[in-house]
Amino acid sequence: MTYFAELRANWRPLLAATIGIGTGMSTAGTITSVLAPSLIEGNGWARSDFAAVGILGLFSTLAFPFIGRLADVLGVRWTALIGQITLPLTYLAYATIMGGSLRVYMAIFVVQSVLAVTTTATVYTRLAVEFFTKSRGLALAIVVSGSAIFGAIGGPILNNYVEAHGWEATYRALAVFATLAAVVVFLLIPRGAGQTRKDAPKRRARDDYPMIFRTRAFWILAGVMLLCNLPQTLLLVQLKLLLLDNGISGPGASIMFTALSLGMLTGRFVTGIALDRLEPYLVAFVTLGLPSFGIFIVASSFDSVPVLTFAVFCLGFAFGAEGDIVAFLVARRFGLAVYSSVMGLLTAIMSLSTSLGAAFLSWTLTRTGNYNLFLVTTGTAVVVGASLLLLLRRDKTPELQS
């Protein structure tokens, strides 16, 4: 089967995974960002109190390893169904039972953070890994672009809706939308996708996890994810403040955000195709190491709009490429049988790294009043982390298969 024929032949799982990520928990950040002003104003909450809700996202970090294991045991269809049911119910709960209470909002948020993560890349990328071989990199790029497509198309629509109807009506509309999307995705996922063959030996966690932890490749990938995700807080919540600190505002800031989005999409598809056609470890080294170049530029005295635009593009490129790289290398080194178990562990490490980076940023800002120490330190960490990937190139440990 040719490169593009494989994409055509497996359009159902590809479409299911793309819609699943584009309408699942991966879009929570976009939805919260759009609704936040209306929620804060409508309920009389303090901005600082609402910001503290983000700390509860650590519950997702704890949940990812368990979710990954479920996907390996139950398959994609039934694991994703947990979040497909939970997500619309939490949207409805925000609209009907929250009653303006921040504590109730936080309780619902925790439930969503733990159960709805079954609708994230940890589960859905398993479809791309299972059904694609020759075009796996491109398939993964398409799948993980689901959330970006939602942000580009649904973000403005959602913003206009909340401005016209308020946050309660918006959450009700989201509940209906998430329900319809869940039905479509559930029907598109092929029966038995990702499930262990009936004639295969029953897999046990007490056997699989020691095997994973004994594998040198796992610890190399864990080190890569820990080091390379430290600066992610810049993209998630600090980018505009960082740009202001470098004298960029107004139209210049808009250009930067456009560069970030273009970088993410470019990173996903360029990296996906490159992984299929070139040496994957070298591709991973270059693309994950790229943000260090952008970080060092931002830390320098070169503050012109074109230079900083290029730096932000580099950051977005690596951020977009990372999802492809992690999924591709896990599938290559561990096969399908424990794919989601390993992905769950690595996703938890990525989430932890981002939290550690945020704490380190807070510490450095308190003591220096600027971003330079954070930028130089995390930029160096990214170089070290990306370099670890070259160890995988020389690692002769046999690759695990399904």
Side-chain angles (χ1 to χ4, degrees), residues 69-268:
R69 187 63 190 175
L70 274 180
D72 283 336
V73 174
L74 299 180
V76 174
R77 210 171 195 232
W78 300 110
T79 303
L81 184 62
I82 298 170
Q84 290 169 348
I85 293 173
T86 301
L87 200 58
L89 291 177
T90 54
Y91 289 148
L92 193 60
Y94 284 135
T96 58
I97 69 173
M98 187 174 71
S101 169
L102 184 59
R103 289 187 177 183
V104 176
Y105 177 90
M106 294 169 72
I108 299 170
F109 183 87
V110 168
V111 173
Q112 188 181 68
S113 298
V114 172
L115 297 181
V117 291
T118 64
T119 59
T120 60
T122 299
V123 175
Y124 283 126
T125 55
R126 188 181 174 88
L127 292 174
V129 168
E130 179 179 359
F131 287 92
F132 297 89
T133 304
K134 292 183 178 179
S135 57
R136 179 177 288 171
L138 180 56
L140 285 167
I142 294 171
V143 168
V144 297
S145 294
S147 56
I149 294 170
F150 172 85
I153 299 175
I157 296 174
L158 192 65
N159 185 68
N160 292 335
Y161 194 88
V162 71
E163 291 292 332
H165 303 285
W167 63 268
E168 291 176 298
T170 302
Y171 271 128
R172 288 191 177 92
L174 283 169
V176 174
F177 173 75
T179 300
L180 294 175
V183 171
V184 171
V185 172
F186 184 81
L187 294 176
L188 281 173
I189 297 174
R191 292 182 180 275
Q195 287 181 300
T196 305
R197 298 189 311 271
K198 291 183 178 180
D199 59 342
K202 185 177 181 180
R203 306 200 67 90
R204 298 182 299 181
R206 66 183 183 183
D207 295 327
D208 285 345
Y209 281 107
M211 175 271 295
I212 291 170
F213 294 142
R214 286 195 304 268
T215 305
R216 184 167 177 254
F218 171 77
W219 294 108
I220 293 175
L221 288 171
V224 173
M225 293 302 102
L226 184 64
L227 293 171
C228 289
N229 280 277
L230 288 172
Q232 291 300 343
T233 188
L234 292 176
L235 297 181
L236 297 176
V237 295
Q238 292 286 329
L239 183 59
K240 188 171 183 178
L241 294 172
L242 177 63
L243 295 174
L244 291 172
D245 199 51
N246 281 271
I248 303 296
S249 60
S254 298
I255 293 173
M256 301 297 170
F257 283 106
T258 300
L260 178 66
S261 298
L262 288 175
M264 290 173 65
L265 287 174
T266 304
R268 283 177 179 140

